[in-house]
Structure formats: C-alpha cells, structure tokens
Amino acid sequence: MIPLPTTKKEIEQRGWHYVDVILFSGDAYIDHPSFGAAVIGRVLEAEGFRVAIVPQPDWHGDLRDFTKLGRPRLFFAITAGSMDSMVNHYTANRRRRSDDAYTPDGKSGLRPDYCTSVYARILKTLYPDVPVVIGGIEASMRRLCHYDYWQDRLLPSILVTSRADVLVYGMGERAMRELARRAASLESLQGVEQTAYVTSDKALIKSISDDAVTLHSYEDCLKSKRHYAENFKYIEQQSNLWRGRRLIEPFTEKAFADFISSDISNSVGDEDAFDRDKSGESSGHYYVVVEPPYPPMSTEEIDSAFDLPYTRLPHPKYNGKRIPAYEMIKFSVTLHRGCFGGCSFCTISAHQGKQVVSRSKDSILQEVKAICNLPDFKGYLSDLGGPSANMYGMHGKDLSICMRCSRPTCLQPNICPNLNKDFAPLLDIYKSVNQLPQIKKSFVGSGIRYDLMSNDYGEELIRHHVSGRLKVAPEHTEAHVLQLMRKPLFDQFERFRDFFLRINDENNLRQQLIPYFISSHPGCTEIDMAELAIKTKSMDFKLEQVQDFTPTPMTLSTVIYYTGLNPYTLQPVFVAKSKEDKLRQRQFFFWYKKAERESIRKELQRLKRPDLAQKLLHGK
C-alpha cells in the first residue's frame, strides 16, 4: 500500500502522464478512513481514476502549490478539511486559536479563513476552463444562504462566493463517483444527486420547479429574518426525508453586487462569479439548485469505502512530525455513520444524515486486525464508536415509515416507537473484538446517548469499555432550554448517573462520569445558568468540560441565534449575543473558583435572586 501522490515526482514514480482529479485539502494528508480527502481519493482510485492530493497549499505569493501538478484531465476537487475553517480557527469569542489539530505539530496558520472559497477562487483564476468541485463539511453546511457568525451577517451560498462549478454535500462518495464518470464522458456535471450548482437558465428552472421547493430568495432573507427562519424549516425537513425534494434558492446579481461592495473578508468572490450570456450582458437573475440526496447507503456500500487500501498513516512527508488529530484516532474504529439524535446545535445529522448506516461485523474486524499490525500498537483500542457510539445497527423497524418521516430526531420529545433499539449487534461487536488475541482492551471514546440505553448495554459499557472517564452530554439542566436543544430532560441524566455509580460500586471501579454543558445557547438566561450550577453542584460536579455556544452554519440553534425566532413556531426566543452577556452566563460554571464567586453574588443580587446566590455559594 502506498499513499496517493502529492508531488510531481510521486506521480512520475507511478508512471502516470496525467492526473484525472487533483484534490486540494485544508488538512494534512492522512491516508485513513477518518479523513474525507483520503476517502474520496481512494474511492475514485478504486473506480480507475488517477487522483493526486495537494494538502495545505500555500495560498500566498506565486501560488506555485496550485500549479505544481498542472491541470487535471477531469476537474479540481476542494475540501476545507474535517472542520469548517472558521470553527477551526476561532473560539466562541472570535479569538484566534493558537493551534490546529489537523496540521503537522499542531501549527496554526497553514490554511486560510474561508478555506474552500479561497482555494476555489485561486484555481478558477489560474485555470478558468477547468471545473472546480467543492465538498466537505464547510461547503456542505454553506450550500445555501447562511448566517456567518464571524462576520455577523447572512452570506450567499458558498457556490457564489467560491465561484465553484458544483458542490457536493453530505458524505460524498457516490456523488463524486458519478461526477467523475460524467466528466470522463464529457457529460454535464449539473443534476447529479446530492450536489448543488448555480444557474441563470430560466427555462431549466421552469422545467424543474414543479417538483421542487422554492425558497425565499437571498435578497428576501437579507430583508426579513422571518423569511430566513422559514427557509431553514423547509431545508431541514427535506434533508431529513429519505428522498427529499429539490431546493431552489433565487438571488439577484444586484444583491450579490451589494454584498461584494460591503465585503470585509477574503471569503467572497467578485462580480465575475456570474456567467454572462452571449451578448456579454447579465440576465440579473440566478438560482442555487440543490438536488435531492441519495437514499441512505447500504451496509455493503459503506463497507466498500472503509475496506479500501489505506495506509492508515500520515503521508511520509510528515515523518518526525506529530499531527494531533491523527494521534487521537489512529487506534480507533468508526462503526457507523449518521445520527438520529438531531441536536439543534450539531452538524452531524445535517452533514452525515439522520439515518444510521452501519458497517458489517466482518469489515469492522478487518480494520481492527489492520490496527493490530501497526508497529506502535500496544493492544488498546481507543474507540469503538461513531457520531453517537451506541447507535450502531439501529434503524426503523418499518423502513417505509422512515421513508416518509421528516422528523428531525428519533429520540425527542419521545423515542420513536418505530425505532429498533436492539443492542445485541453492538454487544456482539464488542465481544468479537475483545476475543482477538492482540486486543487487551477496547474502549468507547465517542460520546453516548444516555437516553438510548438498556441495562445490559450500560453495564457492559461501564464495566469493560470505559478508559477511566465516560463522556456524556446533558448540555443543560433546564427543560425549556433542553427542548430547544432537542435534548432529553435532565432527570434522565440523573438516573444514568445513579446507574453509573451503582455499577462502579458493585465492581470496585473508580471511574468518572464527565458531563458536557453549554452556556449562552438560545433560550438560556443567566437565571437558567444559576439553576444549572446549583443542580450540578448538588451532584458533586465541578464542571470543566464546558463551552459557550458557537453558532455554526445551517444548524437550528444558529438560525434561532440570528433571527431570534424558532423556525418551527416563529415565536420569539431570548438570545444572549454580546460578549458581556456570554461571559456573565459562562461564569456560573465556575462557582467553585474564588475569582468568580463575588461576581456571581453581585450579578444575582442585580437580578433580584439572592435566594439562588444562597443556594449556590453557601448551600451544601
């Protein structure tokens, strides 16, 4: 096994005289199924296409990294990497981070802000006649008009700002295979499932609009937060359907021109992003068209992506350097994709899909055996997990019901009666992995859903698969905030904690339960945070795993943050937005720190709630 080529020399060593697809990535190149660029590269390679990867190109100066491999035969492909570049670069307070886990030695500054748009615009300038396909989570979650927290305004589709030809959203193996096939056959790249594109062809729009949802225009959303909130509801509903409808979002050249004139970052393109008619004049009306997603993958399809000949190692060019993100996952195995939890602030179900697609037992064991052969493996698997570790093998009992369902979560406000909550396949995976002679211990490092639990699974997990600390995410304690988060009521966490402690006591284990909480989520007030602090204090927690809510593109929580409206009810929701308001909420996490106690006392006095100050600062 050898990695995909990254240089002209490596291409020549393969005896290639051309490359079909050149893939640019904001991450370092790690040839491992946990990293999207490697997966797409290997999938296309398996189809017979020649693929090269340019990881973290220098976008300054002479741009030689963008020209060193020449032009591809079919198209350029771009991903910002495993994270949105702005989430990667900035904290919730918009402070620049000092490190980057997806870069050699954790060094920051090796990718630009708005990475996808910057790479795409460079390539469209250097090679205007070569198609550019964008994908990955940054492109996926920005495929339509979206709120950008870092500029504090609505941005148009990333297709517009990047000047890309096609956008692949979600998990992109099938769409990328079809795009490569079409490009090789000189067919149009427009109209592929699970892709999006921009057009000014009114005849085309007329022909497809009967079977589409036409959203409020970008211009309308700029004028009306209510329209933007209404758009989100339609987008999420269609995304959650087994076979959603096509989406059409109009915009005008004037709206985009106004956007350009007010630009304050390098995130956008220019007026040349638009196609002109033969007379050189613009029609002025454009449409972002989002094709429906593919149906959920089969087990055989997901196995085929994970079973490709990855080296499972960083490219040799990084020898002697440590890539933190790789160190976290090199002894871990992903069991499934997708999540039916539907948390309001999470991008997983919006990107990977609501339907859980699970790998076969044989595929999982094959990967575990490959890990066992790594030279520095000591017998301990760090994670047998997934987006939510205990959803493996779960799906609807009657899939025909799932095909018609647009519900964003299968767990809230109640667990769907059609959900098959059988833990036997997952318990069998644990047992089979632990029976391998090279395995000393397998842990579950991914988060679990404690509202999706059985006693036999919970006991197996706690007794045999916790590496000292078990991560769970109640996120809040107050019912109205949890409802907006689409999270279970706090009493379910309390019951799970009691269960966790009992199993520990019965087995003489000294393990910790580590809960995660969020401050400043839409709907949350300072009083709610004081109540959170009081309730977690009564459970003997001194919270450390906490964060301020960070609005990220195309989540329900972000739409509420920007509009102040719940898209499903259009009722107002309180939102803490200023830096000062956020800090006042965050301080309640740290009631046990001397530096925070006096500030908390004064704030509760100002809020006329000395009773809460008494409970939090002086009560048992």
Side-chain angles (χ1 to χ4, degrees), residues 182-255:
R182 288 196 181 193
S185 301
L186 302 180
E187 299 175 43
S188 171
L189 301 187
Q190 292 186 356
V192 174
E193 291 177 286
Q194 211 159 307
T195 68
Y197 58 92
V198 171
T199 182
S200 61
D201 187 339
K202 290 185 178 180
L204 170 65
I205 295 300
K206 184 177 180 180
S207 69
I208 65 176
S209 59
D210 287 346
D211 191 33
V213 175
T214 299
L215 303 170
H216 296 295
S217 70
Y218 169 62
E219 208 162 26
D220 285 344
C221 291
L222 289 177
K223 296 174 183 176
S224 169
K225 290 183 177 181
R226 183 186 179 98
H227 283 170
Y228 178 62
E230 289 174 345
N231 271 8
F232 176 83
K233 177 181 176 181
Y234 294 127
I235 294 166
E236 185 174 57
Q237 286 177 334
Q238 294 305 315
S239 297
N240 287 329
L241 286 169
W242 196 280
R243 291 290 290 162
R245 295 168 65 190
R246 181 184 285 114
L247 301 175
I248 299 174
E249 184 182 68
F251 66 97
T252 67
E253 186 167 10
K254 180 181 184 304

Side-chain angles (χ1 to χ4, degrees), residues 176-429:
M176 288 297 290
R177 278 197 295 261
E178 177 62 13
L179 287 169
R181 185 197 67 77
R182 288 196 181 193
S185 301
L186 302 180
E187 299 175 43
S188 171
L189 301 187
Q190 292 186 356
V192 174
E193 291 177 286
Q194 211 159 307
T195 68
Y197 58 92
V198 171
T199 182
S200 61
D201 187 339
K202 290 185 178 180
L204 170 65
I205 295 300
K206 184 177 180 180
S207 69
I208 65 176
S209 59
D210 287 346
D211 191 33
V213 175
T214 299
L215 303 170
H216 296 295
S217 70
Y218 169 62
E219 208 162 26
D220 285 344
C221 291
L222 289 177
K223 296 174 183 176
S224 169
K225 290 183 177 181
R226 183 186 179 98
H227 283 170
Y228 178 62
E230 289 174 345
N231 271 8
F232 176 83
K233 177 181 176 181
Y234 294 127
I235 294 166
E236 185 174 57
Q237 286 177 334
Q238 294 305 315
S239 297
N240 287 329
L241 286 169
W242 196 280
R243 291 290 290 162
R245 295 168 65 190
R246 181 184 285 114
L247 301 175
I248 299 174
E249 184 182 68
F251 66 97
T252 67
E253 186 167 10
K254 180 181 184 304
F256 184 62
D258 291 343
F259 172 80
I260 292 296
S261 67
S262 65
D263 182 38
I264 57 172
S265 79
N266 65 357
S267 67
V268 295
D270 52 46
E271 290 83 348
D272 292 335
F274 297 100
D275 293 326
R276 306 285 171 163
D277 62 28
K278 293 180 180 179
S279 66
E281 298 296 326
S282 166
S283 68
H285 295 278
Y286 298 86
Y287 308 87
V288 177
V289 179
V290 180
E291 297 292 341
Y294 284 97
M297 277 186 168
S298 65
T299 293
E300 291 74 23
E301 284 176 311
I302 190 173
D303 281 355
S304 69
F306 277 88
D307 295 346
L308 294 168
Y310 305 96
T311 66
R312 301 189 64 84
L313 298 169
H315 190 277
K317 68 190 288 184
Y318 306 121
N319 285 348
K321 296 183 179 180
R322 180 178 181 273
I323 303 175
Y326 170 69
E327 297 298 322
M328 289 176 62
I329 58 86
K330 67 178 178 178
F331 301 140
S332 70
V333 179
T334 299
L335 307 184
H336 66 272
R337 289 179 182 170
C339 178
F340 49 74
C343 296
S344 300
F345 47 83
C346 183
T347 61
I348 291 173
S349 60
H351 181 62
Q352 293 195 13
K354 183 179 75 170
Q355 304 296 330
V356 167
V357 181
S358 300
R359 299 170 63 189
S360 69
K361 178 180 174 180
D362 286 345
S363 176
I364 291 167
L365 292 179
Q366 180 178 318
E367 184 173 1
V368 173
K369 291 173 183 176
I371 292 173
C372 291
N373 291 327
L374 293 175
D376 52 347
F377 181 66
K378 306 298 182 184
Y380 297 93
L381 287 176
S382 60
D383 188 22
L384 288 173
S388 289
N390 54 331
M391 289 185 181
Y392 175 81
M394 295 187 181
H395 49 74
K397 299 171 187 174
D398 182 348
L399 291 181
S400 68
I401 295 175
C402 297
M403 290 178 184
R404 301 189 303 270
C405 179
S406 63
R407 182 176 163 179
T409 166
C410 302
L411 300 180
Q412 297 303 319
N414 300 297
I415 295 179
C416 176
N418 189 46
L419 179 65
N420 174 13
K421 306 184 296 296
D422 184 6
F423 286 95
L426 182 54
L427 291 171
D428 182 54
I429 294 293

Side-chain angles (χ1 to χ4, degrees), residues 141-142 144-148 153-158 228 553:
M141 302 304 288
R142 295 172 180 266
L144 291 160
C145 167
H146 57 279
Y147 172 70
D148 184 89
R153 60 176 176 169
L154 289 186
L155 302 186
S157 165
I158 194 172
Y228 178 62

